[in-house]
């Protein structure tokens, strides 16, 4: 769970561990000049880090939680660069999104900590917003058909389901099928540290 500072900024311990490996993939996959829509930005630590490291991009953070948006705004005020935009309210499960077009989308650690309806909404949104060839980049832990679940991920999956039975590690093949139904083709799966994956789709 995120911890808090004396202001509205929240801190997620995993961010400092995973932001550089994720950034390396983003450098390879994101367009040279674009507006990136981040869905479920959480504490805002990824947003401020990526926007600072990628000054040629406009980074649009979003989150459904008022507390998260307050944290994002506080991080933006404290350390944000000019290309980090003010956070917007966005519930991935809803079809009422505050933007109508994006050049790329990023979603980190949402799919397993939300109901399946959020993944379905994310894919519908990406299908609506992205241009042909534009990427949707996901990061997090997944199950994969025919492969045993790593012990650490199995324990994490159990803890998630104990918190909310609608949560849990998703089967990657189910996510790919949901994406395909919304006009998104699987382009690449990147093995990441700590048994996570970065999954890249592109709008067809």
């Amino acid at each position: 769970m995120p911890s808090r500072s004396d202001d509205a900024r929240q801190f997620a311990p995993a961010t400092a561990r995973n932001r550089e490996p994720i950034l390396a993939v983003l450098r390879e996959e994101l367009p040279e000049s674009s507006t990136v829509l981040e869905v479920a930005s959480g504490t805002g630590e990824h947003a401020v880090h990526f926007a600072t490291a990628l000054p040629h991009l406009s980074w649009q953070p979003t989150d459904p939680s008022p507390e998260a948006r307050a944290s994002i705004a506080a991080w933006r005020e404290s350390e944000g660069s000019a290309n980090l935009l003010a956070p917007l309210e966005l519930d991935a499960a809803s079809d009422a999104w505050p933007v109508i077009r994006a050049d790329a989308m990023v979603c980190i650690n949402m799919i397993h900590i939300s109901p399946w309806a959020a993944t379905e909404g994310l894919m519908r949104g990406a299908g609506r917003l992205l241009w042909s060839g534009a990427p949707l980049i996901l990061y997090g832990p997944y199950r994969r058909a025919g492969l045993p679940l790593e012990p650490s991920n199995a324990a994490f999956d159990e803890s998630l389901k104990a918190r909310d039975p609608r949560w849990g590690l998703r089967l990657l093949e189910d996510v790919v099928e949901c994406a395909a139904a919304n006009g998104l083709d699987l382009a690449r799966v990147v093995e990441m540290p700590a048994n996570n994956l970065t999954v890249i789709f592109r709008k067809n």
Side-chain angles (χ1 to χ4, degrees):
M1 296 294 290
S3 60
R4 294 181 179 274
S5 63
D6 291 336
D7 55 27
R9 287 177 298 164
Q10 298 181 25
F11 299 82
T15 302
R17 297 193 296 269
N18 64 33
R19 63 188 183 184
E20 291 300 331
I22 296 172
L23 177 60
V25 179
L26 296 181
R27 290 187 189 278
E28 297 173 354
E29 297 292 340
L30 291 177
E32 284 299 314
S33 178
S34 63
T35 297
V36 180
L37 177 66
E38 183 183 9
V39 177
S41 300
T43 65
E45 294 169 277
H46 281 127
V48 73
H49 184 73
F50 298 152
T52 301
L54 303 167
H56 56 288
L57 303 177
S58 292
W59 198 274
Q60 178 61 73
T62 71
D63 204 276
S65 163
E67 292 80 10
R69 294 196 302 276
S71 177
I72 297 165
W75 276 108
R76 179 173 179 256
E77 181 177 353
S78 172
E79 299 186 28
S81 52
N83 61 319
L84 178 59
L85 307 178
L88 298 176
E89 180 179 0
L90 191 157
D91 179 355
S94 170
D95 286 329
W97 285 27
V99 293
I100 60 172
R101 190 63 70 184
D103 301 304
M105 288 174 54
V106 172
C107 184
I108 297 169
N109 284 334
M110 181 199 82
I111 287 179
H112 58 285
I113 313 180
S114 60
W116 179 246
T119 298
E120 294 175 321
L122 174 69
M123 297 305 178
R124 289 196 305 270
R128 289 194 309 271
L129 269 63
L130 293 177
W131 307 95
S132 177
L136 166 64
I137 301 172
L138 311 179
Y139 170 87
Y142 292 88
R143 298 176 175 271
R144 285 187 279 186
L147 296 179
L149 194 60
E150 304 86 354
S152 61
N153 276 352
F156 185 41
D157 186 47
E158 290 181 8
S159 70
L160 290 172
K161 290 174 178 174
R163 290 166 59 189
D164 189 323
R166 300 174 301 167
W167 296 2
L169 273 62
R170 309 299 181 187
L171 187 66
L172 179 59
E173 289 76 8
D174 289 344
V175 176
V176 171
E177 181 179 354
C178 185
N182 290 278
L184 300 160
D185 298 326
L186 179 64
R188 185 182 174 201
V189 177
V190 183
E191 299 279 351
M192 304 292 283
N195 300 317
N196 289 293
L197 301 175
T198 296
V199 185
I200 298 101
F201 298 94
R202 292 197 176 266
K203 177 72 182 295
N204 58 32

